[in-house]
Amino acid sequence: MKELIESFNVIGISVKTCNTDGSAAKDIPALWEKFAGERLDEKIPNRMDDAVYCIYTDYEGDFQHPYVTILGCKVSSINEVPEGMISKIIPTSKYEKIKLEGNISGDAIYDAWTKIWASDLNRSYLADFEVYTAEQCQSENPSIDIYVSVK
């Protein structure tokens, strides 16, 4: 299901990583561990809600090349960025929304991305992201939404 999402601002922590050399399999879980372990969501100023965003952006080509992963929150302003964090403006784009339901563990999310990589989606590689809300993640049937930027 395609939808247009207006640009938005995020603040969070980041890592430059790559899928093909196996670094993403280590870097992204380590980013989550730091974010959750240090309760970094609570340190982000001007949060618009409690959702956590895992954003994949600044692609140096397609998914087989290096990119930046940002773990953070949507904010109303990027004027105050805490030390050790970055800000990013996610551009307006069309997105293909994919709902992952049931098992939302790391392996299930990776499997969903494997299917996306193998799909015929006409990807723009501007920014892709997952949205984690307490309401969705803690329900009887947990789910997350994955948004893939498309042309």
Side-chain angles (χ1 to χ4, degrees), residues 11 14 39 41 65 86 91 96 102 110-111 116-117 140 150:
I11 292 177
S14 67
R39 303 280 324 181
D41 56 327
H65 295 86
I86 66 160
E96 186 74 30
Y110 181 80
D111 290 347
I116 292 166
W117 298 334
E140 280 186 28
V150 292

Side-chain angles (χ1 to χ4, degrees), residues 29-45:
L31 202 65
W32 273 102
E33 194 172 302
K34 178 177 175 63
F35 190 84
E38 297 179 24
R39 303 280 324 181
L40 294 180
D41 56 327
E42 295 175 357
K43 297 176 179 154
I44 296 173

